[in-house]
Amino acid sequence: MTPAQHVQPALASAQIHIRDITGSDLRGALADGWDDFKDKRGDIIIIGFAYPVIGLMLAVLALGYSLLPVVFPLAAGISILGPAVAAGFYELARRRERGLDSSWRHFFDVFSGPSFVPLVTLTVFLAVLFLLWLGAAWTIYQMTLGSLDPQGIGSFMSLLFTTPEGWTMIVGGNLVGLAFAALVLTVSAMSFPMLVDRPVDVGTAVATSVRAVAHNPVNMLKWGLIVAVLLLLGSIPVFIGLAVVLPWLGYATWHLYTRVVEIEGEPRRPAA
């Protein structure tokens, strides 16, 4: 029997409990996340700036290649990768919660040890969803506003809000985007923090996230809306606010995870 076979039964027999949460838990998670951000987090704000810089580069690329219709899907769709980008913030919040050194160099601890492969696997899955979202957005554009062949930003914006094709694109795009967002929330809300916290496989982490959303549908939906609103506000103007919003949400998501998921019979991942 291989070492992996020795480990797997322990993982399968772990008791993973999903707690009921309320609106006060959501507010508490946000408050605790903000405390994490304020406490010695100024030294890593440059990491938070990486997110808006990537967003700006993608937007410039899209404009440079006359792909104006996908600029908004790019901005909205980048949030699909948010849970993966925030993995380092989960680690810092985990360490601070346990009274360990939480300086910036530990941001990259998630890229070593047993968490690395599952985190990469789940990140690749989110990246595929991101590409599928862009493909869906482009298809919706081609089926609606693309038939009118807008020329330039002014023409595009005018046709978007003054024609039936434009409004069909807005409504259809938002409905499809909502479906992608709901899928990402269900799959990743608790799975990424769990992979940072415990030496579990991707299947266990994703199944736990799905159970958490199914057990607390209303409050997890509220959490998804809070995340969406904060990401939107952080994107105005030109994504700069995400340098604050992304770390804050990363820390807050960790604290929501600790309120939702309770695990018995399985050791926590040791500190690096």
Side-chain angles (χ1 to χ4, degrees):
M1 185 176 292
T2 65
Q5 289 174 312
H6 282 295
V7 173
Q8 188 60 36
L11 297 177
S13 63
Q15 298 298 309
I16 304 175
H17 304 289
I18 305 299
R19 300 190 186 105
D20 294 321
I21 58 172
T22 65
S24 63
D25 290 304
L26 305 184
R27 293 189 293 272
L30 288 169
D32 290 343
W34 187 248
D35 286 341
D36 282 342
F37 179 78
K38 292 189 298 181
D39 182 58
K40 299 186 299 183
R41 295 285 71 83
D43 56 349
I44 61 163
I45 196 168
I46 190 171
I47 298 174
F49 271 113
Y51 197 73
V53 167
I54 292 172
L56 281 172
M57 290 175 62
L58 289 173
V60 170
L61 180 65
L63 289 171
Y65 285 89
S66 301
L67 297 178
L68 181 63
V70 299
V71 171
F72 175 75
L74 275 171
I78 290 174
S79 62
I80 291 175
L81 301 175
V85 177
F89 298 115
Y90 304 152
E91 173 64 10
L92 294 180
R94 182 184 79 93
R95 296 184 67 88
R96 184 171 183 261
E97 181 181 77
R98 298 175 66 180
L100 303 171
D101 175 28
S102 57
S103 58
W104 69 268
R105 65 180 180 274
H106 292 291
F107 184 90
F108 300 101
D109 285 356
V110 295
F111 297 108
S112 61
S115 298
F116 176 69
V117 172
L119 283 170
V120 169
T121 301
L122 200 50
T123 299
V124 169
F125 174 73
L126 292 188
V128 170
L129 286 182
F130 176 67
L131 294 176
L132 289 174
W133 157 241
L134 290 182
W138 182 254
T139 300
I140 292 171
Y141 166 74
Q142 290 292 346
M143 295 174 61
T144 54
L145 206 58
S147 62
L148 303 181
D149 192 27
Q151 301 295 320
I153 295 178
S155 174
F156 175 84
M157 297 303 293
S158 175
L159 292 173
L160 181 65
F161 293 107
T162 62
T163 65
E165 291 85 354
W167 281 105
T168 300
M169 175 182 165
I170 291 173
V171 174
N174 278 282
L175 288 176
V176 173
L178 180 61
F180 273 95
L183 177 59
V184 171
L185 175 69
T186 301
V187 169
S188 66
M190 298 292 108
S191 58
F192 274 94
M194 188 176 187
L195 288 173
V196 170
D197 186 38
R198 308 275 176 166
V200 300
D201 56 59
V202 172
T204 299
V206 170
T208 300
S209 188
V210 171
R211 286 177 53 207
V213 173
H215 192 77
N216 296 283
V218 174
N219 283 300
M220 290 304 295
L221 175 60
K222 289 180 180 178
W223 181 254
L225 291 174
I226 289 171
V227 170
V229 169
L230 289 177
L231 287 175
L232 176 61
L233 293 176
S235 299
I236 305 172
V238 293
F239 305 101
I240 296 301
L242 294 179
V244 172
V245 170
L246 181 64
W248 179 20
L249 286 176
Y251 299 133
T253 299
W254 169 263
H255 292 292
L256 182 66
Y257 158 75
T258 61
R259 285 167 163 81
V260 174
V261 179
E262 179 181 7
I263 304 178
E264 296 178 2
E266 183 180 310
R268 302 187 74 173
R269 185 172 68 81

